[in-house]
Amino acid sequence: MTARAAGRLRIPTPVATAARICESDAAAACALRELTGDDGDPFVLASYSTLESAERMQGFEDAEEALALIDKGPAATNEELARLNELLDSQQNNAYFATHLMGQLPPDKLLLFLGDIYDAEGAGADDRRAAIVGDVGENLGIVLGRASQSGHAGTDAIQPDMVAAWEDDMAALGGQRIILSDGRQGPYRFQLMSNIMGSGEYSTHYLTNYHDALVSWEQEMSPPGSAWNRTAACTPPSPETTSGSIR
């Protein structure tokens, strides 16, 4: 499994520094827009007092819009998926956006959405939709990684208990097949989640639990690891070998 663990020492680069500056600028712009009055009035009473509270409010609002688009599932239009991708991309460094999205998007709901849109992509979708779907998966991986790291950073406002529970549920459910919205049997949950994890940076807690559960599941396949082969992926582990293997 390839994913970058939290806690690695990094020296800030000009690109990373510029990204943080852009993030602060975005929060400032949001605050100024909220201060601008209607009908030419120059300012109105502030609804928040700091850039952090502006970032939190914008993160919550954008996460709610993203969740409404995710609820559309495979029926989402190209334009709606593009809007979802825009929200994920613009808020990928906002821990409040990331954790609110994670809190309202339990593993089963996330993986059903991914299974549905990836399935539609593979059924003769046009090139534009395939590109959008790929970008949505990549940005979801980044955003969920942000939530994972933020939940273990010791900040009470980031809901550490929710994040840890979400991570544990994802690891525990990985060896099960997803049932798509049309009732067909889809990929294993590990296959869907692993597909987006490469773009994000996740907590050591999550990576450890996910790795252990994934390796255990792979060894139960016949032959071991065969789930990553499209043909063999349709053959689940035998009941006698899966009983009690992933908690």
Side-chain angles (χ1 to χ4, degrees):
M1 176 181 62
T2 301
R4 298 183 290 273
R8 182 182 302 167
L9 178 62
R10 293 182 176 84
I11 299 173
T13 65
V15 172
T17 301
R20 287 194 294 272
I21 291 172
C22 289
E23 183 180 350
S24 297
D25 286 348
C30 170
L32 289 172
R33 283 194 298 271
E34 290 295 323
L35 285 169
T36 303
D38 297 326
D39 301 322
D41 294 337
F43 292 103
V44 296
L45 183 64
S47 55
Y48 31 70
S49 58
T50 67
L51 291 179
E52 182 179 1
S53 60
E55 182 180 34
R56 183 182 305 195
M57 179 176 290
Q58 190 63 49
F60 177 85
E61 292 175 356
D62 284 359
E64 285 294 303
E65 183 180 353
L67 288 163
L69 293 168
I70 288 171
D71 281 343
K72 293 179 178 291
T77 65
N78 287 359
E79 289 69 27
E80 288 168 334
L81 287 176
R83 174 56 181 164
L84 171 61
N85 189 56
E86 179 184 338
L87 291 166
L88 295 169
D89 183 63
S90 65
Q91 292 286 2
Q92 64 180 234
N93 292 316
N94 186 335
Y96 299 107
F97 171 88
T99 50
H100 184 67
L101 189 80
M102 176 183 275
Q104 300 301 312
L105 192 61
D108 261 348
K109 184 176 180 179
L110 165 70
L111 298 175
L112 174 60
F113 172 70
L114 290 174
D116 280 338
I117 63 171
Y118 285 148
D119 180 70
E121 175 196 0
D126 61 85
D127 290 343
R128 178 170 179 250
R129 187 175 183 88
I132 296 171
V133 166
D135 288 343
V136 166
E138 180 177 345
N139 280 316
L140 271 171
I142 295 171
V143 168
L144 293 170
R146 176 74 175 190
S148 173
Q149 291 219 41
S150 298
H152 296 275
T155 305
D156 290 340
I158 302 300
Q159 309 173 60
D161 292 341
M162 178 278 293
V163 171
W166 190 98
E167 293 173 333
D168 292 344
D169 286 347
M170 179 63 77
L173 292 171
Q176 301 174 15
R177 300 287 285 265
I178 198 77
I179 303 300
L180 301 176
S181 292
D182 62 6
R184 290 180 297 121
Q185 185 170 252
Y188 289 101
R189 288 165 169 84
F190 274 133
Q191 292 172 310
L192 292 166
M193 188 61 193
S194 295
N195 192 53
I196 69 170
M197 279 177 60
S199 59
E201 298 189 16
Y202 292 78
S203 71
T204 301
H205 168 89
Y206 176 63
L207 289 176
T208 300
N209 288 355
Y210 189 90
H211 171 267
D212 290 348
L214 176 60
V215 170
S216 176
W217 170 70
E218 286 180 329
Q219 292 305 309
E220 292 166 356
M221 301 303 292
S222 180
S226 59
W228 303 107
N229 180 306
R230 276 189 180 271
T231 302
C234 296
T235 305
S238 59
E240 61 269 19
T241 60
T242 56
S243 177
S245 58
I246 300 178
R247 302 291 183 187

